[in-house]
Amino acid sequence: MTETHARQTPGTPCWVSLMVHGLTATQDFYGSLFGWEFEPGPRQLGPYSRALLDGHEVAGIGQLPPDRHLPIAWTPYLASDDVDLTAETVRLCGGTIGVGPLDADEAGRLAIGSDPSGAVFGVWQAARHLGTALTGVPGTPAWNELLTFESASVAKFYETVFAFEEEPVVSADSDYVTLRVDGRPVAGIHGVGHALPRDRGPHWLTYFEVADTHEAADRLTDLGGHVLKAPHDTPHGRVATVSDPEGARFSLVQSAH
């Protein structure tokens, strides 16, 4: 179990957030699935709550304003020391900024943008709210991975904006780049070509740690979610790709320790 209270190095995924139409129903779903409890958070983008696990903040869920056409998707926030400068760099490198930069009460400053392929991500400049305060236990974010057409060009974008180091996985049948900060792997970019879902396009996928992938997938189905890719073994553990009742995709991972 790791408590991550330190200010995050720029580029590190530090928070995941979901914007939905039905806030209460979504809280019930994730509360039952992961054991989360909720408390109110900053309301800059409308009603918003922070999910807690054993009193530690792990994720956020907000109400989608009727006039905002953001995808219903888990969105990783990457740490920045200067969100305004990062937003400017995103634009200069061919991305777009759809929301912000704006202050979230006294918690910090945020922007939501998309990379040149259209995948949405957030940028977080911490003030009082340092981000996810617990990792490595069931119900916490474990990994973030970008599913896109091909990795090379979009990896260049993230490296330029966030100063990531890149480590391509050399394999004839896999197009995968691991993004590193200070030598540590922090996120992945997976080029899947035409295997991308047509209705989604390129998108970030958050992996949540679970104690048992099969059991969690069964519980998710009982709660009204859908299993998109059945539990299967990977080098990183047993993974299932799923969606919640509003269609937000994410993965369950029982890590190989």
Side-chain angles (χ1 to χ4, degrees), residues 39-57:
E39 67 175 21
R43 300 175 71 88
Q44 264 57 28
L45 300 176
Y48 192 81
S49 56
R50 289 189 181 139
L52 306 180
L53 193 64
D54 298 329
H56 298 284
E57 296 172 347

Side-chain angles (χ1 to χ4, degrees), residues 2-15 56-57 78-81 107 124-135 182 184:
T2 317
E3 289 186 36
T4 53
H5 284 300
R7 190 171 291 277
Q8 301 276 7
T9 309
T12 310
C14 59
W15 189 242
H56 298 284
E57 296 172 347
L78 307 175
S80 169
D81 286 341
W124 181 254
Q125 180 183 338
R128 286 194 177 172
H129 176 61
L130 297 177
T132 301
L134 190 67
T135 59
D182 297 336
R184 289 180 303 111

Side-chain angles (χ1 to χ4, degrees), residues 225-242:
H226 300 278
V227 174
L228 306 174
K229 189 171 183 185
H232 58 285
D233 289 321
T234 75
H236 306 293
R238 186 163 295 161
V239 174
T241 305
V242 298

Side-chain angles (χ1 to χ4, degrees), residues 14-241:
C14 59
W15 189 242
V16 289
S17 192
L18 173 66
M19 302 294 279
V20 295
H21 297 294
L23 187 56
T24 307
T26 301
Q27 287 179 348
D28 290 346
F29 172 83
Y30 285 100
S32 300
L33 182 62
F34 291 139
W36 291 350
E37 295 171 343
F38 295 91
E39 67 175 21
R43 300 175 71 88
Q44 264 57 28
L45 300 176
Y48 192 81
S49 56
R50 289 189 181 139
L52 306 180
L53 193 64
D54 298 329
H56 298 284
E57 296 172 347
V58 292
I61 299 178
Q63 178 96 36
L64 204 57
D67 58 331
R68 285 207 195 270
H69 299 290
L70 290 169
I72 294 175
W74 280 101
T75 302
Y77 280 72
L78 307 175
S80 169
D81 286 341
D82 184 340
V83 77
D84 294 78
L85 182 60
T86 301
E88 192 54 39
T89 313
V90 165
R91 290 193 190 98
L92 289 172
C93 293
T96 58
I97 296 293
V99 177
L102 55 86
D103 289 323
D105 295 347
E106 295 170 344
R109 192 163 170 79
L110 69 87
I112 302 172
S114 52
D115 67 27
S117 74
V120 175
F121 63 93
V123 183
W124 181 254
Q125 180 183 338
R128 286 194 177 172
H129 176 61
L130 297 177
T132 301
L134 190 67
T135 59
V137 296
T140 61
W143 184 246
N144 288 284
E145 188 172 278
L146 173 61
L147 298 180
T148 190
F149 295 109
E150 53 86 32
S151 66
S153 59
V154 81
K156 278 279 172 289
F157 166 84
Y158 286 99
E159 282 167 50
T160 308
V161 174
F162 293 103
F164 288 125
E165 304 134 27
E166 179 189 318
E167 185 192 329
V169 175
V170 181
S171 161
D173 59 352
S174 179
D175 172 15
Y176 198 94
V177 170
T178 302
L179 299 176
R180 293 175 173 266
V181 170
D182 297 336
R184 289 180 303 111
V186 294
I189 298 178
H190 193 183
V192 295
H194 297 300
L196 259 183
R198 281 206 190 110
D199 59 329
R200 298 302 291 207
H203 59 283
W204 280 92
L205 189 69
T206 298
Y207 288 68
F208 289 95
E209 187 72 46
V210 293
D212 183 314
T213 307
H214 285 279
E215 193 180 89
D218 288 346
R219 188 159 71 242
L220 169 131
T221 307
D222 291 343
L223 293 167
H226 300 278
V227 174
L228 306 174
K229 189 171 183 185
H232 58 285
D233 289 321
T234 75
H236 306 293
R238 186 163 295 161
V239 174
T241 305

